[in-house]
Amino acid sequence: MKPDAAVLQACLLFRGQSVEEIESLLQKMMYTVSGFPRKAVILAEGDTADRLGIVLSGRVEVQKNHPNGSGVTIAHLNEGQTIGEAVLFRRDNRAPATVTAADPCTVMFIGKQELLRMFTADTEMLTRFIENLSERLVLVNRKIENLSAGPLRRRIIDFLLEQAELQASGLLKLPFSRKEWAEHLNTARPSLSREMGILRDQGWLRFKGREITLLEQEQMRNYIHSIQTAPDGRS
């Protein structure tokens, strides 16, 4: 199966290249494309990560599992986003988390040696790869900040304001289900629903399904500021 060059344009590795340029590059590259049914494991924690994955269709979930059987969702990856780049060139390149198909998906894989060959031939691609690593590091740091940001209400508001910035709109579409969102925030779904109800009753937002409208972003920012400046960091 040949990857869709238009989809690869969304991948930072190929950003700035035309469809024709990407199609020409694909003819010279060594790669594979695999399909995965929903809930299939793409990369298990502890596996050797010796190739880069690029999501071509569907949605992928990255989870950190604990010995007690519980897990925390670290990220959801959509078309054009990459898998395994953070550990690909480490000496110990074992996957630190499990990657599964949240929906039926297809993934393009490029081996480590092939990537090195491509980077040697195109230093701009190497620069884009490093940029991709930097962006992923920022996302991980945001995740850590969100999980350690005190009360659940603050973590919810932090996430919603971040999505408003990413989507450039006060009308948000959640990138995952309410259950997955609760896992993302490391909380129980009833607790998330209760806090969302409180924010709705305060007139700060309204929601229906995966759509959330932020009505009082300034009030939400003021709340975050008040938590940050409180002596004990609590609401």
Side-chain angles (χ1 to χ4, degrees):
M1 176 181 175
K2 183 181 177 182
D4 185 344
V7 172
L8 290 178
Q9 282 184 306
C11 178
L12 188 58
L13 202 63
F14 300 94
R15 192 168 294 172
Q17 295 185 323
S18 67
V19 168
E20 292 74 20
E21 288 172 328
I22 294 174
E23 287 179 343
S24 175
L25 185 60
L26 288 173
Q27 294 177 5
K28 307 169 188 174
M29 285 172 53
M30 293 180 61
Y31 63 86
T32 59
V33 176
S34 299
F36 297 91
R38 184 173 179 271
K39 294 188 177 181
V41 175
I42 299 170
L43 182 66
E45 183 173 343
D47 283 354
T48 299
D50 57 359
R51 54 185 183 167
L52 176 76
I54 302 173
V55 182
L56 298 178
S57 68
R59 193 166 55 100
V60 166
E61 183 176 78
V62 184
Q63 269 204 335
K64 181 65 178 178
N65 297 314
H66 302 301
N68 63 6
S70 64
V72 175
T73 301
I74 299 172
H76 288 88
L77 307 178
N78 299 307
E79 288 184 4
Q81 292 185 285
T82 52
I83 302 167
E85 75 278 13
V87 295
L88 186 60
F89 293 102
R90 285 189 62 194
R91 181 170 297 178
D92 179 11
N93 60 339
R94 288 176 294 183
T98 296
V99 182
T100 59
D103 301 313
C105 65
T106 54
V107 181
M108 174 184 181
F109 294 101
I110 307 173
K112 178 179 177 179
Q113 294 305 315
E114 178 66 4
L115 272 177
L116 288 173
R117 184 193 67 78
M118 291 164 62
F119 293 159
T120 301
D122 186 349
T123 56
E124 288 187 7
M125 181 175 284
L126 173 59
T127 299
R128 291 192 295 270
F129 179 81
I130 295 172
E131 288 176 359
N132 193 22
L133 285 177
S134 299
E135 287 191 3
R136 185 61 58 85
L137 180 59
V138 168
L139 290 175
V140 170
N141 284 339
R142 284 182 178 175
K143 173 70 174 177
I144 293 170
E145 288 173 3
N146 197 269
L147 290 176
S148 60
L152 175 58
R153 193 173 307 170
R154 173 181 169 168
R155 302 204 305 270
I156 293 170
I157 292 173
D158 266 338
F159 175 83
L160 292 175
L161 291 175
E162 178 187 318
Q163 286 297 309
E165 181 180 345
L166 291 173
Q167 299 183 32
S169 174
L171 175 59
L172 311 180
K173 185 167 184 180
L174 284 178
F176 33 60
S177 69
R178 186 70 68 91
K179 177 178 179 294
E180 291 170 325
W181 188 18
E183 292 174 354
H184 182 81
L185 293 171
N186 197 25
T187 191
R189 184 174 175 178
S191 299
L192 172 60
S193 296
R194 182 175 61 251
E195 290 295 334
M196 286 293 289
I198 292 172
L199 294 173
R200 177 197 58 207
D201 294 344
Q202 288 180 177
W204 288 10
L205 53 78
R206 62 172 177 261
F207 54 86
K208 182 178 181 181
R210 292 194 182 188
E211 289 191 351
I212 301 174
T213 304
L214 304 188
L215 304 173
E216 295 288 350
Q217 291 191 49
E218 192 59 34
Q219 291 273 28
M220 297 169 81
R221 292 189 187 94
N222 289 340
Y223 171 82
I224 295 296
H225 179 71
S226 69
I227 295 294
Q228 290 173 336
T229 56
D232 61 356
R234 298 181 181 181
S235 59

